[in-house]
Amino acid sequence: MKKLFMAVVAAFISLASFAQSGSWSVGLNFGYGTDISKPFLGGRVMYGINDAFDVAGSFNYYFKDKYDVGYGEDITFRYWDINADVHWNAFRGDKYKLYPLAGLTYLQAKASYEGISSSDGRFGVNLGIGGSYDFTENFAVGVELKAQIIDGTQFVPMASFMYKF
């Protein structure tokens, strides 16, 4: 699965580098993972291959969880994910895009207790819908609703604030 994920990411990068008429944008993500039950903050890079297709990569860090297990001891949980998605801009105008999306995700979890830690990572698939609106030539806002299908399904609503080059 890791080899497949790396091959797909390499294909996205290759496709983006050979495209002639693209545009780049970078930004911040704010969202919430329903399975993890935590908000996240992240970064995003998007490349517009042409008017119909975009590729987007993101890294999201979920706010940590700390639980008191008694006797003054805590267990801490940390999560992060990496995503690579393709957007098909099915409905688009001069200032907006509405799209279905599909892609790959990798979710990493780490638990720490009394100096001992354990971590686990899983690959999965992203499926969802989204949209963006260009406020100016250089600034845009986006919203996505997607399902991360890993060992179950996590619903991930997210807002992005993007600077376009």
Side-chain angles (χ1 to χ4, degrees):
M1 187 78 162
K2 288 182 183 180
K3 289 181 182 180
L4 175 65
F5 180 73
M6 294 309 289
V8 171
V9 170
F12 285 154
I13 292 169
S14 297
L15 187 60
S17 23
F18 288 114
Q20 297 283 328
S21 63
S23 61
W24 288 93
S25 56
V26 296
L28 293 175
N29 296 331
F30 303 97
Y32 187 82
T34 58
D35 193 37
I36 296 171
S37 299
K38 282 295 181 194
F40 65 78
L41 178 64
R44 181 178 189 145
V45 175
M46 191 161 56
Y47 182 76
I49 297 170
N50 55 34
D51 287 343
F53 293 97
D54 298 328
V55 290
S58 65
F59 173 83
N60 301 311
Y61 181 80
Y62 293 81
F63 295 109
K64 70 180 178 180
D65 256 342
K66 190 180 259 189
Y67 294 104
D68 182 6
V69 293
Y71 309 106
E73 298 172 356
D74 294 327
I75 187 167
T76 304
F77 294 98
R78 291 187 172 99
Y79 302 93
W80 56 264
D81 66 16
I82 296 175
N83 300 280
D85 297 325
V86 175
H87 303 168
W88 173 44
N89 301 316
F91 302 99
R92 58 190 178 271
D94 291 338
K95 292 188 168 270
Y96 72 92
K97 295 178 190 176
L98 298 174
Y99 53 84
L101 67 89
L104 298 175
T105 188
Y106 177 78
L107 178 65
Q108 178 73 33
K110 181 179 181 180
S112 301
Y113 176 70
E114 290 186 352
I116 300 170
S117 66
S118 178
S119 62
D120 188 24
R122 305 279 176 164
F123 287 95
V125 175
N126 292 329
L127 297 173
I129 59 172
S132 67
Y133 183 80
D134 297 341
F135 281 104
T136 68
E137 186 177 311
N138 293 73
F139 291 101
V141 151
V143 174
E144 288 183 0
L145 305 171
K146 67 180 170 184
Q148 287 182 329
I149 304 166
I150 300 174
D151 283 336
T153 301
Q154 170 173 253
F155 180 63
V156 183
M158 179 178 76
S160 298
F161 300 93
M162 307 291 291
Y163 177 79
K164 298 167 61 175
F165 297 98

